[in-house]
Amino acid sequence: MKFNFDFLTDWTVDIVNAVYRLTIQSMYFILSNSLFLIMLLVFKMTLNNFILFLVPIFLMLISFLTQFTINEAGKGPLSFKAYCRLYQRNLKAQWQMSVFYTLLIAFLVFDFRILSVLKNGLLYVPFLITSGFLISSLFFMILIATDERSKQLSLGRKFFSAMLIAYRLPLVTLVNMICLVAIAISLVLFPIAYICILGGLINYLIYLNCQRRFSVSLYFGDV
């Protein structure tokens, strides 16, 4: 029986291309979060000094959007110059979304601190579930923002749509929550490793998880 080497060749090429693309995106993720990395070298990310990291978190959300935009476009790795242009364009167009979710994240973190002080274990479960849905909606909102037509929608409309999608796709949201836990643990215990090693990979896994059940083109076709 003749073995079909074409399948093996195509499979190998696809793996090499995926690894190369992910490596490039991870490198760009590191470079676009240089401020975050510098801050982590100077300060430890704790609840007490969390407010110092608001600007780096704001910029990191823009890098999330840029990475999602590249993946959604389905193009090969961009040059760093092209990546910077795309990053600047996203920063200019979607800064309101990034500010909104930065403040939302800060609100949830400070609420968590209050619960820690009160030591009321009964409130942790509903708080964590609600927080998980709120932050999971961020990824769907970022996916919506990858389309130029999103500029025609208000911030409130995009947020409501993202929340509705998060509730309609509980399994996708559950996986997103697991990824969020991984991000939170990484930022607390291994923050530099997250920026330099884990960030690009986790972001890509979140993107794959979201887009397998949600289509941006179909979303705008229904608007």
Side-chain angles (χ1 to χ4, degrees):
M1 183 178 65
K2 186 178 179 180
F3 185 76
N4 187 358
F5 286 98
D6 290 338
F7 171 78
L8 182 61
T9 302
D10 293 340
W11 182 72
T12 304
V13 170
D14 289 342
I15 290 180
V16 172
N17 287 335
V19 171
Y20 174 71
R21 184 171 62 250
L22 184 58
T23 301
I24 295 297
Q25 289 184 4
S26 297
M27 182 181 68
Y28 290 168
F29 181 77
I30 296 170
L31 294 175
S32 60
N33 288 283
S34 299
L35 177 60
F36 209 147
L37 184 59
I38 293 172
M39 291 286 292
L40 290 172
L41 292 174
V42 179
F43 303 101
K44 186 175 181 181
M45 192 171 184
T46 62
L47 291 176
N48 293 330
N49 58 17
F50 180 82
I51 193 171
L52 299 175
F53 290 89
L54 292 183
V55 173
I57 289 174
F58 165 81
L59 296 175
M60 185 171 70
L61 295 182
I62 298 297
S63 68
F64 271 48
L65 173 59
T66 304
Q67 185 174 350
F68 277 35
T69 303
I70 295 172
N71 292 327
E72 193 67 20
K75 298 179 180 179
L78 300 177
S79 66
F80 184 63
K81 185 176 181 180
Y83 178 88
C84 289
R85 287 199 299 266
L86 180 59
Y87 183 93
Q88 292 173 358
R89 190 182 73 187
N90 286 333
L91 178 60
K92 183 178 179 180
Q94 302 294 341
W95 65 270
Q96 291 178 320
M97 179 193 71
S98 189
V99 167
F100 174 77
Y101 272 99
T102 299
L103 295 178
L104 178 60
I105 291 171
F107 174 77
L108 294 176
V109 168
F110 291 130
D111 276 0
F112 180 78
R113 180 172 177 79
I114 292 174
L115 288 179
S116 300
V117 173
L118 294 177
K119 296 181 179 180
N120 191 336
L122 294 177
L123 295 178
Y124 275 110
V125 174
F127 171 78
L128 292 176
I129 293 175
T130 303
S131 300
F133 275 103
L134 286 172
I135 303 301
S136 182
S137 70
L138 163 66
F139 303 122
F140 293 110
M141 193 164 177
I142 287 177
L143 273 177
I144 293 172
T146 61
D147 195 293
E148 289 292 327
R149 289 170 290 182
S150 66
K151 296 178 182 179
Q152 302 173 6
L153 303 178
S154 66
L155 180 65
R157 175 69 181 279
K158 287 185 286 189
F159 174 69
F160 177 78
S161 295
M163 283 296 299
L164 191 61
I165 295 167
Y167 277 106
R168 285 182 174 179
L169 302 176
L171 293 179
V172 174
T173 299
L174 178 60
V175 175
N176 284 344
M177 288 181 180
I178 295 173
C179 291
L180 286 170
V181 171
I183 292 175
I185 294 175
S186 299
L187 285 174
V188 173
L189 300 179
F190 316 104
I192 296 178
Y194 170 75
I195 298 295
C196 296
I197 301 173
L198 302 175
L201 176 60
I202 295 177
N203 299 345
Y204 185 62
L205 292 176
I206 291 174
Y207 167 78
L208 292 178
N209 178 55
C210 290
Q211 64 89 37
R212 69 187 177 91
R213 296 292 304 276
F214 172 70
S215 170
V216 176
S217 59
L218 287 178
Y219 168 79
F220 281 100
D222 293 336
V223 170

